[in-house]
Amino acid sequence: PGGVNDTLCDILGIAAEAAELAEGCGRIGTTMPTTVEALAKFCAATLHSGVKYVNGQKPVTCLAEVSGGAALLEEAIARGADCLVTGEAAHHIALLARQKGIGLVVAGHWGTEHAIADVLAVQLEKQFPALTVAHAEADADPYSYLL
């Protein structure tokens, strides 16, 4: 609780009662209705990472997320997700998403995980009040992106 995937749920606006995917490796839950394109733009602006996406064939009201890779796409589809936000996805995963009509937002491995550093800093300061803890300025996406 309160880890990377819960933090990503908060950022993406997935309902607080989100269910776990694959023994805690991701989350799925309801969200305010949106489109895959709008979600991809939100991820680009909020997660500060390069984003690519596969547009689904319906509005997004049930959103799944997994911070690392997209191996959970089929589970997300089986559980009713309209879209999966993930850090990385192989080409065959994008093809599967397109074939199944589900949205896929690939927001970068760093993009989907760096927000936890601020959360961990707060938790560490609570546990060790004598320490000053800060998110390192050196924490940056190793990739450069072309627009």
Side-chain angles (χ1 to χ4, degrees), residues 40-68:
K41 287 178 180 178
F42 175 80
C43 287
T46 307
L47 301 177
H48 313 291
S49 185
V51 172
K52 54 188 174 184
Y53 67 98
V54 173
N55 215 341
Q57 298 173 358
K58 55 187 173 179
V60 177
T61 59
C62 181
L63 181 60
E65 63 78 14
V66 59
S67 60

Side-chain angles (χ1 to χ4, degrees), residues 125-138:
E125 281 188 330
K126 285 181 183 176
Q127 291 294 317
F128 304 98
L131 293 179
T132 300
V133 182
H135 189 152
E137 290 181 26

Side-chain angles (χ1 to χ4, degrees), residues 54 70-71 73-74 84 88-98 104:
V54 173
L73 179 65
E74 292 192 71
L84 172 69
E88 298 178 11
H91 183 74
H92 72 279
I93 296 293
L95 291 173
L96 178 62
R98 187 172 67 184
L104 176 67

